Amino acid sequence: MTTTLATDSRAHTATPVLPTAEAHLTLRPLPADAARITGGFWHLRQERNGRDAVRDGYRQLEAAGNFRNLRIAAGTEQGEAVGPIFMDSDVYKWLEAVAWELGREPADDLRELQREVTALVAAAQADDGYVDSVQQVRFDGARYTDLKWSHEMYCAGHLMQAAVAQSRATGDTALLDVAIRNADHLVRTFGDGADQVRDVDGHPVVEMGLVELYRETGTRAYLDLAHWFVDARGHGIIERAGGEPTYFSDRVPSRQATTVEGHAVRAVYLAAGAVDVAIETGDAELLAASERQFADMMATKAFITGGLGARWDFEAFGDPYELPTDRGYAETCAAIGGVQWAWRLLLATGRPEYADAVERLLYNAFLPGVSLAGTEYFYVNPLQHRDHAHADENRSPAHGRRGWFDCACCPPNIMRTFASLDGYLATATDGGLQVHQYATADLGAVSVETGYPHDGTVRVTVTQDGPLALGLRVPAWSDTTTVTFDGSEQHPEPGTVHTIERDWHAGDTVELVFDTTPHRFVADARIDAARGQVAIERGPLVYAVEQPDQDGFTVDDLTIDAEAPITEEQRDDLLDGVVTLRVPAHAPAGHEQASWPYRRLDAAPGPGGSAAARTATSADDVTGGGGAEPALRPVTAVAIPYYAWANRGAVPMRVWLPLA
């Protein structure tokens, strides 16, 4: 598809989260047009997303039958609905991506696609505002008969988010009209009234959608219904309908819960919606509960990448510290929901740990879900991929990244996140600007230039004269940070916001130098899957050892030294340009399959010394049988940023590395 730039439109950005003037906030998103990524790491990803992925998304949705379902519901085609019950939600996430992309880079061809698909959704909508093509076609118009599984309001929530995006980013209100009619229908249908249905959707997101629609239209009934949905959780509604309450985040009321549980995406979407409600209503109890849940999630249920969701079974959070490496699920959509939740908590509280969480999630849990080219995706993001792994189902990483899935929730979710990323960089207060995420960008009162995340140097240039309290996040990972301004140096503490308040002159520059020294990390002793192993981070990036970079050994057999120095190498020729790490390590010259893969701890050592530590001098020293360990030889392991793995095939990889 040819990209044609519009000549009568200018690029501008808007934010997916735009609280009202009366909202209870510490920080506010920057206004439309005040934040734009202009170069560097994220700009490249946004360009590929907009140029290739978003346009390919139209083709994929057509091929998968999503658009056809809507045409059948509209009566312009005949046939049976295809695909999962929530097929419309993928259309809405794609429409949201198109809207933000049109705000970022106006293009006539995308605008025409937006109008075409918006008209299709409008044609499928029933007279009373209801719209869900699969439900309308497959079940002869029956509604809300099995809300725990039907995803009818889940689809409605994504419709609302797409409609708000379209209105804010492009000024087109056609989809907003559809969303308003649908929301009015929901307000009439659900709640505690005598003629209303007391039920909740099994998959939250309508809460976020309703609040954002309230913010866009001022219709208080949308906020009130969102508040009702949040508070109705945990009172047995789903359980009485035959659902497992833990899976549906329905076991404990939202304001009483102390952690997240069940289906990971459902849980974090519900939590983000609860913060939206708390922000707009001033519900301090609900906000405090959400902060408590987020803290426990990060302390006991998040992978080192920030990935969320331990179990393939039911795509769920596991028990505390249940964080497997090779079978970790860490769904890409859960990472996106985690970003949405952390961002809202940052707006509500101003606490920098939420910006740190956004950073970890974006670089290490969201970004691995998409190829460097931008058009292939991972649904699941494990921290280890074994030698000889074989794909056993559609989502398996052993396929490598794929262009689409049977359940295609992740690809359009990734598209909309890239397209709206500008809105997550900075916030404002009266007389202040706070920079939370570092990217080459224009942020209204300042511009930013940086080679982040590979380079820890950031230059912030003030673009206008006058007083300003400039807040700069100091990442928790940076042991020492140097802030240079006007010939003086300051060294703020990690995990803080360093604020410089003064009268500025256009052209004044602040330089930040963060400490990107690589470090080894160990896991809490209760994370059994990572016990006796280390992971490596450099700056904001988690690293992985991937097979193509190793010389003469398989990463499955690797053990690394606990204290030997790690060296760095800038590789502009590799994976769009990365810093690789060279890690002193040991590995056997080969692996021999024994008749029984277990040995006694007190078994006699093989050639070369003790079982705990020895060095082989030749291939003849290697033994794999007789109850003895294979002898090890010194090697150098090469590590790359985890987000970049599998761009050279679905090859062996591991994040957690056993200690020698």
Side-chain angles (χ1 to χ4, degrees):
M1 185 177 295
T2 303
T3 303
T4 307
L5 291 179
T7 57
D8 59 346
S9 299
R10 65 186 182 90
H12 67 280
T13 58
T15 176
V17 183
L18 191 58
T20 63
E22 297 77 26
H24 298 257
L25 293 169
T26 300
L27 307 174
R28 288 194 170 275
L30 294 187
D33 301 330
R36 180 169 173 79
I37 297 170
T38 57
F41 184 87
W42 286 117
H43 188 255
L44 177 62
R45 308 310 294 269
Q46 283 189 318
E47 281 189 323
R48 291 171 177 170
N49 179 67
R51 183 190 64 221
D52 302 322
V54 173
R55 289 170 168 85
D56 185 60
Y58 178 89
R59 180 186 66 81
Q60 295 281 10
L61 290 164
E62 183 66 78
N66 301 66
F67 295 149
R68 184 171 182 269
N69 288 344
L70 287 162
R71 288 192 286 266
I72 296 170
T76 59
E77 285 192 24
Q78 302 296 313
E80 298 297 323
V82 299
I85 193 74
F86 42 81
M87 288 283 272
D88 288 1
S89 66
D90 296 335
V91 174
Y92 301 143
K93 281 182 277 190
W94 177 81
L95 275 171
E96 184 180 348
V98 170
W100 298 130
E101 182 59 24
L102 282 171
R104 201 186 71 84
E105 290 289 346
D108 290 335
D109 63 323
L110 274 188
R111 199 175 304 278
E112 287 305 310
L113 294 181
Q114 174 186 273
R115 290 169 178 163
E116 172 194 325
V117 178
T118 296
L120 179 56
V121 174
Q125 188 170 36
D127 291 341
D128 66 351
Y130 179 90
V131 59
D132 188 298
S133 68
V134 178
Q135 192 78 12
Q136 288 167 283
V137 174
R138 189 175 291 168
F139 298 99
D140 297 323
R143 302 174 182 179
Y144 310 126
T145 58
D146 188 18
L147 259 178
K148 64 183 181 296
W149 293 117
S150 67
H151 292 69
E152 286 160 276
M153 283 192 278
Y154 169 77
C155 291
H158 281 301
L159 166 62
M160 295 169 198
Q161 290 178 319
V164 169
Q166 191 175 112
S167 176
R168 286 180 187 163
T170 73
D172 189 330
T173 60
L175 194 62
L176 189 67
D177 293 340
V178 175
I180 289 170
R181 293 181 63 209
N182 182 250
D184 289 343
H185 158 76
L186 294 179
V187 167
R188 293 191 301 269
T189 305
F190 293 95
D192 270 332
D195 298 324
Q196 292 177 305
V197 178
R198 194 174 187 276
D199 206 348
V200 295
D201 197 287
H203 198 311
V205 88
V206 72
E207 300 82 0
M208 279 193 283
L210 283 165
V211 175
E212 216 59 50
L213 193 61
Y214 156 71
R215 291 165 172 165
E216 191 70 5
T217 66
T219 303
R220 175 75 190 202
Y222 304 155
L223 174 61
D224 292 341
L225 182 58
H227 204 166
W228 187 86
F229 282 142
V230 169
D231 277 340
R233 223 73 187 195
H235 295 284
I237 291 176
I238 292 178
E239 187 172 16
R240 287 192 292 273
E244 168 54 56
T246 298
Y247 173 81
F248 291 104
S249 296
D250 194 45
R251 186 178 64 85
V252 182
S254 296
R255 62 185 65 244
Q256 296 174 20
T258 59
T259 189
V260 287
E261 60 185 25
H263 188 278
V265 180
R266 296 170 197 246
V268 295
Y269 279 1
L270 175 63
V275 179
D276 275 333
V277 168
I279 286 172
E280 293 297 343
T281 63
D283 192 331
E285 181 187 30
L286 189 59
L287 177 61
S290 192
E291 287 199 83
R292 184 170 64 241
Q293 294 156 23
F294 190 90
D296 188 79
M297 178 183 75
M298 298 304 287
T300 69
K301 295 186 177 182
F303 291 94
I304 192 169
T305 57
L308 304 172
R311 297 179 180 174
W312 280 68
D313 290 338
F314 308 112
E315 302 184 322
F317 285 109
D319 297 323
Y321 304 106
E322 180 190 342
L323 295 164
T325 55
D326 51 354
R327 290 295 292 174
Y329 201 70
E331 183 181 337
T332 303
C333 283
I336 293 169
V339 169
Q340 294 171 343
W341 184 12
W343 175 249
R344 286 160 170 80
L345 286 172
L346 176 64
L347 296 179
T349 69
R351 291 168 53 184
E353 58 261 41
Y354 296 123
D356 283 341
V358 169
E359 178 177 79
R360 181 171 295 274
L361 285 157
L362 282 175
Y363 283 114
N364 304 298
F366 160 70
L367 197 54
V370 59
S371 66
L372 295 177
T375 53
E376 298 84 31
Y377 309 94
F378 274 148
Y379 194 116
V380 181
N381 295 281
L383 276 67
Q384 182 176 356
H385 187 66
R386 295 182 181 277
D387 195 16
H388 303 301
H390 180 71
D392 56 6
E393 63 113 272
N394 186 254
R395 296 164 294 174
S396 174
H399 286 294
R401 292 185 183 85
R402 313 195 80 176
W404 213 245
F405 298 95
D406 295 341
C407 171
C409 54
C410 295
N413 216 359
I414 290 169
M415 294 175 200
R416 69 173 182 151
T417 302
F418 273 132
S420 62
L421 198 59
D422 312 71
Y424 291 98
L425 298 183
T427 57
T429 54
D430 290 340
L433 173 72
Q434 303 81 38
V435 182
H436 302 288
Q437 306 302 324
Y438 292 107
T440 296
D442 289 333
L443 300 175
V446 303
S447 64
V448 182
E449 292 185 15
T450 182
Y452 209 87
H454 304 301
D455 186 340
T457 299
V458 179
R459 291 179 180 84
V460 180
T461 302
V462 177
T463 58
Q464 57 195 37
D465 295 339
L468 178 70
L470 177 60
L472 304 166
R473 179 178 65 94
V474 181
W477 50 259
S478 181
D479 289 346
T480 60
T481 296
T482 301
V483 179
T484 304
F485 168 70
D486 200 20
S488 65
E489 288 188 0
Q490 293 179 302
H491 301 279
E493 291 295 314
T496 62
V497 175
H498 181 67
T499 300
I500 307 172
E501 187 170 3
R502 69 186 305 277
D503 282 330
W504 299 85
H505 300 288
D508 286 347
T509 298
V510 180
E511 182 178 86
L512 302 94
V513 179
F514 300 124
D515 179 7
T516 59
T517 303
H519 294 286
R520 299 170 177 85
F521 287 79
V522 296
D524 188 288
R526 290 191 176 188
I527 303 177
D528 299 279
R531 191 174 295 173
Q533 302 178 74
V534 298
I536 299 172
E537 294 186 14
R538 179 185 181 273
L541 301 178
V542 174
Y543 271 67
V545 174
E546 192 184 29
Q547 192 58 52
D549 303 304
Q550 316 316 318
D551 184 12
F553 64 92
T554 302
V555 300
D556 287 13
D557 301 327
L558 180 69
T559 59
I560 74 165
D561 292 337
E563 297 179 356
I566 297 173
T567 57
E568 306 176 12
E569 182 180 4
Q570 177 68 46
R571 289 287 305 275
D572 294 332
D573 61 328
L574 183 67
L575 301 168
D576 280 340
V578 295
V579 174
T580 61
L581 303 180
R582 299 177 65 83
V583 187
H586 291 84
H591 179 269
E592 295 183 18
Q593 180 174 314
S595 60
W596 181 242
Y598 309 98
R599 62 178 181 82
R600 281 171 40 190
L601 187 59
D602 59 354
S610 71
R614 53 182 188 282
T615 302
T617 57
S618 72
D620 294 333
D621 288 336
V622 177
T623 176
E629 281 188 283
L632 304 178
R633 61 193 175 93
V635 297
T636 298
V638 177
I640 62 168
Y642 169 67
Y643 74 76
W645 93 275
N647 280 279
R648 296 170 290 180
V651 294
M653 175 278 301
R654 62 188 306 156
V655 169
W656 286 104
L657 308 170
L659 287 169

